[in-house]
Amino acid sequence: AIGSMVGCLMMGLMANLPIALAPGMGMNAYFTYSVVGWRGTGMVSYEAAVTAVIIEGAIFFVLAVTGARFAIVRLIPEPVRIATPAGIGAFLAHLGLQTAEGIGVVVSDIATAVTLGACPLENRTPIVAYDALCRENGICIPSDAYTCDVIGGQMTSATTWMGILGLMVIAIALAYKSKLAFIYGIGLVNFLSWF
């Protein structure tokens, strides 16, 4: 957050451009959820994944400073350049719709990977990492992921409906081209959450 603040202030004050800068969190989410896996259940250790991210950052820095980055970007076909940010945005939106990071509209499902969620705490069935320890010794570690399919109660969580209300307020304000759309949505949800 501090790096984002410093980057945004420098971009606004020194370059006079309305561009927000933040660290590349998409790569972190990819390594966390896909490569390393939940609590290290993936094929790569977190130490190796962090080392790969550091090396990738150093290589990107060298490419950016030398100007080679621009030449490489021009070699990528335009449809791929347009589709890549959309794919990353869809992935991050999916994370925001989950419970741990967002409003809980989607939850884990064994058959379809994701399903409709937003059930209250008492209706959640945790999903267990079925590894060798669980299979052989019966010591199963539940994850933060859960499903609402067993007991039911989809779309009854107040947190989810507050998030949906905030998104609707933001969407309506953006439709009216309000520059304070996000402030309105976040402020309203923040105010209502106190009651």
Side-chain angles (χ1 to χ4, degrees):
I2 293 173
S4 298
M5 180 190 75
V6 170
C8 290
L9 285 174
M10 288 178 64
M11 183 61 79
L13 297 174
M14 300 173 112
N16 198 22
L17 292 172
I19 299 173
L21 297 176
M25 299 306 290
M27 185 63 73
N28 295 342
Y30 167 72
F31 273 106
T32 301
Y33 293 103
S34 299
V35 177
V36 177
W38 176 79
R39 293 191 182 173
T41 56
M43 300 297 290
V44 177
S45 69
Y46 79 90
E47 293 95 346
V50 169
T51 303
V53 170
I54 290 171
I55 292 170
E56 175 263 337
I59 291 170
F60 185 79
F61 178 76
V62 169
L63 291 174
V65 169
T66 61
R69 180 187 144 308
F70 183 70
I72 292 171
V73 168
R74 287 191 308 169
L75 294 174
I76 299 172
E78 187 176 359
V80 175
R81 279 187 282 176
I82 293 170
T84 300
I88 294 170
F91 174 68
L92 294 177
H94 173 66
L95 292 179
L97 293 174
Q98 293 178 7
T99 301
E101 297 83 9
I103 62 176
V105 172
V106 295
V107 295
S108 298
D109 186 63
I110 294 172
T112 61
V114 294
T115 187
L116 191 62
C119 59
L121 192 58
E122 61 271 8
N123 290 16
R124 297 177 182 177
T125 305
I127 295 185
V128 175
Y130 191 69
D131 55 2
L133 190 63
C134 180
R135 184 175 48 255
E136 296 166 6
N137 301 332
I139 302 172
C140 303
I141 302 170
S143 69
D144 294 336
Y146 65 90
T147 186
C148 299
D149 289 343
V150 178
I151 302 174
Q154 285 93 345
M155 297 304 292
T156 57
S157 171
T159 303
T160 300
W161 287 108
M162 289 293 284
I164 291 171
L165 172 68
L167 288 173
M168 288 175 56
V169 168
I170 291 170
I172 291 169
L174 285 174
Y176 283 103
K177 303 201 184 314
S178 172
K179 293 181 179 179
L180 299 174
F182 290 97
I183 301 296
Y184 294 152
I186 293 170
L188 177 68
V189 169
N190 190 9
F191 176 75
L192 293 176
S193 296
W194 285 93
F195 300 104

